[in-house]
Amino acid sequence: KQEVTQIPAALSVPEGENLVLNCSFTDSAIYNLQWFRQDPGKGLTSLLLIQSSQREQTSGRLNASLDKSSGRSTLYIAASQPGDSATYLCAVRNSGYALNFGKGTSLLVTP
Amino acid sequence: DTGVSQNPRHKITKRGQNVTFRCDPISEHNRLYWYRQTLGQGPEFLTYFQNEAQLEKSRLLSDRFSAERPKGSFSTLEIQRTEQGDSAMYLCASSLQGLNTEAFFGQGTRLTVV
């Protein structure tokens, strides 16, 4: 059974800092990995999808990397802003259709 | 295209009552998924449709839960004889066909069973 772990569970940084969120998974036979953002009481917003054959994806200030063989992904956020405050979720797709999610990293960016 | 739409956004019900949620996926997406999320946890997969066919169900989906997608467009999730443990956020997602397609989520339906 795929297990997805996100570290740290919570993170507080001052505005302007660069930061890294970590995601690890136990079964490296994945098709892809997707990073999501979730604001309190809201649904999920897709940030980036990395296919298993890719090493990284970039969107604006976000960069996600994937090391499938070691079962790790990182989400790098450059020049953080208070509006980045949210929970960030990592999810992997193995065979089948379901996404397997971690518990998320709760990020607070203080002005 | 307004994205994935879920109704209602919030539902409070008494234990033992039946509830039904609706999900309208992105119009060209033939895949539709239901997930459940409790506080402090990541979403957990419940079930999946490709067009009108329900192709996969999680063991989390007890016999009190039923999902339909009658015409391959919108979907409903019904919970019968609700229990306090059913209180959660119910999330719907949709995607195009393919293993490397992006899943898009709705805003969710927050269920509170009192």
Side-chain angles (χ1 to χ4, degrees):
Chain A
K1 181 182 181 293
Q2 177 73 274
E3 299 287 341
V4 180
T5 302
Q6 292 188 244
I7 295 173
L11 181 63
S12 180
V13 300
E15 181 177 7
E17 275 204 6
N18 303 326
L19 58 101
V20 174
L21 308 181
N22 297 291
C23 172
S24 62
F25 46 94
T26 55
D27 182 352
S28 62
I30 66 170
Y31 286 111
N32 58 58
L33 183 147
Q34 201 166 346
W35 282 93
F36 294 89
R37 168 187 173 137
Q38 186 173 33
D39 292 290
K42 305 290 187 182
L44 279 62
T45 300
S46 179
L47 298 174
L48 291 163
L49 179 146
I50 311 178
Q51 298 181 24
S52 62
S53 59
Q54 298 174 325
R55 298 285 295 185
E56 65 179 286
Q57 282 287 334
T58 298
S59 176
R61 294 183 294 109
L62 305 179
N63 176 276
S65 68
L66 174 65
D67 184 342
K68 197 177 82 161
S69 61
S70 68
R72 296 181 187 275
S73 176
T74 61
L75 179 66
Y76 175 83
I77 303 177
S80 58
Q81 303 170 358
D84 295 331
S85 299
T87 296
Y88 290 81
L89 292 156
C90 162
V92 298
R93 185 188 303 280
N94 293 95
S95 61
Y97 311 101
L99 286 170
N100 294 288
F101 283 86
K103 293 183 179 182
T105 293
S106 177
L107 173 65
L108 177 64
V109 181
T110 56
Chain B
D1 184 2
T2 57
V4 179
S5 177
Q6 292 188 245
N7 288 288
R9 293 291 312 280
H10 303 275
K11 178 72 176 178
I12 300 174
T13 191
K14 292 183 178 180
R15 190 174 51 188
Q17 297 294 305
N18 300 342
V19 294
T20 300
F21 311 139
R22 177 178 170 125
C23 171
D24 288 89
I26 294 172
S27 57
E28 63 267 28
H29 287 184
N30 61 346
R31 291 187 169 179
L32 186 146
Y33 315 80
W34 285 98
Y35 289 80
R36 181 174 70 185
Q37 185 180 27
T38 53
L39 200 61
Q41 303 296 314
E44 297 173 293
F45 171 76
L46 292 178
T47 190
Y48 155 74
F49 290 85
Q50 181 159 309
N51 300 312
E52 66 276 8
Q54 188 174 20
L55 296 185
E56 190 172 348
K57 292 196 291 186
S58 162
R59 279 174 286 182
L60 290 176
L61 210 66
S62 76
D63 56 6
R64 295 185 298 105
F65 288 69
S66 63
E68 293 183 342
R69 194 182 183 198
K71 297 182 180 179
S73 56
F74 73 92
S75 175
T76 58
L77 178 68
E78 181 183 17
I79 309 174
Q80 296 183 326
R81 304 181 304 280
T82 53
E83 303 172 355
Q84 287 189 320
D86 297 331
S87 295
M89 174 78 88
Y90 289 84
L91 294 160
C92 176
S94 70
S95 73
L96 293 168
Q97 193 159 340
L99 286 168
N100 282 310
T101 56
E102 200 170 353
F104 294 89
F105 281 76
Q107 291 297 297
T109 294
R110 167 72 66 189
L111 173 66
T112 302
V113 181
V114 297

